[in-house]
Amino acid sequence: MPRAGQLRPVAEGDVRLRHRVVHGYRRAYRTAGEGPAMVLLHGIGDSSATWTGVIPGLARRHTVVAPDLLGHGASDKPRADYSVAAYANGLRDLLGALGIDRATLVGHSLGGGVAMQFAYQFPERTERLVLVSTGGVGVEVNPALRAVSLPGADLLLSALTLPGMRWQTRAFAWLTRLLDTDLGQDAPDLLNLVDALPDASARSAFIRTLRAVVDWRGQVVTMLDRCYLAEGMPTMLLWGSRDSVVPVRHAYSAHAAMPGSRLEIFDGVGHFPFHTDPAGFLALVEDFVDTTDAADWSAERWQELLRAGRPGTAAGRPDDAYNRAVERDLRETSERSAT
């Protein structure tokens, strides 16, 4: 690893948007830098552009790849499978096409769920996990996302793009910030997500993605039933204390459930800590990489963990009590599955 004085300078202009056709679909991605690979995965409705404030810093020491997930940004938006498992498969194939065998994964929100699923499906290709305000832990999620999962969501999203509605939603966002609410911390970024859905194909892909992970009751996938497999996988959890999309208590649940994980809380920050405090975010990620070794995965150890099952239980038997202890009041976890 180069010393601080030898870091390669990377300007925003060096971060290029490129395209690669995989399985007949055009996939967009931003890339910059040289060195060990680091993959940045954005959240639902977002794109690789969300990382532009931190890519130059990370690219001083890494080959950074930030894809637009299928159905998002400049990538194609087919009528397709938008589950987290499908996204993990697509990421594997994109990285294969780019000649990247292993990488540290940094995932935000939905991207955190995709990162965890990738590590579950392809542990031999995962060096570390950095999970930022990640989904896939508890049931709770912002009520607006639950509402968009209902029938008629396309009409609702279309209405939000109308000139009159844009003024009203921005006035509402201004009011939430003025009142210093948790939602006010995230309102500007969330409104940008609405602006990123300019046409019917983008809205359709967004709704398909959302319904794969959220329904009217909340999140419908979890990693807690198999997170004991993360033993030996260096993992850092980053969260804002005032996250209005995924509550910060999910951070403590995930930390308790993931052996050896590191937890860092951004005080007073919402769902996008890398927007609010990019310098602090970069410092934590660089320190995490510097102080951990890449995961040393082996099929034998994986088999041992599977046979032993979750801690405190007989292998192969349900462990509802453990789920309740980990998630506290999130009792619906055992109904959900990340696959």
Side-chain angles (χ1 to χ4, degrees):
M1 191 70 70
R3 294 190 299 272
Q6 297 176 318
L7 297 183
R8 293 179 297 273
V10 178
E12 287 193 18
D14 297 328
V15 182
R16 299 177 54 192
L17 182 65
R18 303 183 182 185
H19 300 87
R20 179 65 65 105
V21 175
V22 181
H23 308 315
Y25 299 119
R26 189 180 74 157
R27 298 172 188 262
Y29 63 97
R30 284 176 166 82
T31 186
E34 297 178 8
M38 180 175 288
V39 177
L40 311 181
L41 300 169
H42 62 77
I44 191 168
D46 213 339
S47 73
S48 58
T50 198
W51 301 108
T52 52
V54 297
I55 289 177
L58 295 173
R60 292 178 303 171
R61 306 168 76 172
H62 297 276
T63 296
V64 177
V65 177
D68 288 357
L69 297 174
L70 198 68
H72 293 72
S75 290
D76 282 347
K77 302 169 180 63
R79 185 174 181 271
D81 180 2
Y82 290 114
S83 66
V84 289
Y87 277 131
N89 290 336
L91 178 61
R92 174 203 58 192
D93 295 343
L94 175 62
L95 294 181
L98 298 178
I100 295 174
D101 295 324
R102 303 186 75 207
T104 292
L105 303 184
V106 181
H108 173 239
S109 199
L110 171 71
V114 174
M116 287 188 287
Q117 186 69 19
F118 185 93
Y120 172 61
Q121 293 178 205
F122 313 111
E124 72 282 1
R125 304 190 66 166
T126 310
E127 295 189 338
R128 299 173 188 81
L129 288 175
V130 179
L131 306 176
V132 187
S133 306
T134 186
V137 178
V139 175
E140 294 165 287
V141 73
N142 189 285
L145 292 177
R146 301 208 312 262
V148 176
S149 73
L150 297 173
D154 185 70
L155 294 176
L156 173 63
L157 291 176
S158 298
L160 289 176
T161 63
L162 297 174
M165 286 297 296
R166 284 175 182 245
W167 180 87
Q168 294 180 46
T169 54
R170 275 153 180 73
F172 176 75
W174 175 82
L175 180 61
T176 60
R177 289 184 65 83
L178 182 67
L179 296 175
D180 194 31
T181 65
D182 288 354
L183 180 59
Q185 305 295 317
D186 296 319
D189 286 306
L190 296 177
L191 288 176
N192 288 337
L193 301 187
V194 176
D195 292 338
L197 303 174
D199 54 41
S201 62
R203 291 192 294 271
S204 177
F206 174 83
I207 292 170
R208 283 179 176 273
T209 304
L210 180 67
R211 288 175 177 168
V213 293
V214 172
D215 65 14
W216 65 274
R217 294 188 298 174
Q219 295 189 67
V220 297
V221 296
T222 185
M223 45 69 71
L224 291 183
D225 57 353
R226 67 207 69 191
C227 62
Y228 65 95
L229 295 170
E231 181 179 320
M233 176 67 67
T235 302
M236 181 166 65
L237 299 154
L238 301 178
W239 230 282
S241 67
R242 302 189 65 183
D243 192 325
S244 69
V245 178
V246 183
V248 69
R249 56 180 159 270
H250 291 198
Y252 297 101
S253 297
H255 179 49
M258 302 186 79
S261 61
R262 172 179 171 180
L263 174 62
E264 299 286 350
I265 303 296
F266 288 76
D267 188 44
V269 172
H271 190 58
F272 296 81
F274 53 96
H275 289 177
T276 309
D277 185 8
F281 177 86
L282 283 170
L284 285 172
V285 173
E286 290 174 352
D287 178 72
F288 175 64
V289 172
D290 286 344
T291 56
T292 57
D293 295 323
D296 185 16
W297 180 87
S298 74
E300 293 78 12
R301 182 55 183 155
W302 189 263
Q303 290 173 357
E304 290 175 3
L305 292 170
L306 285 170
R307 288 169 178 163
R310 285 178 291 198
T313 63
R317 296 182 57 188
D319 184 14
D320 293 333
Y322 177 72
N323 284 337
R324 287 195 296 270
V326 171
E327 290 199 281
R328 299 182 179 92
D329 60 334
L330 304 178
R331 297 179 181 176
E332 297 183 22
T333 295
S334 59
E335 299 178 9
R336 301 176 292 136
S337 171
T339 55

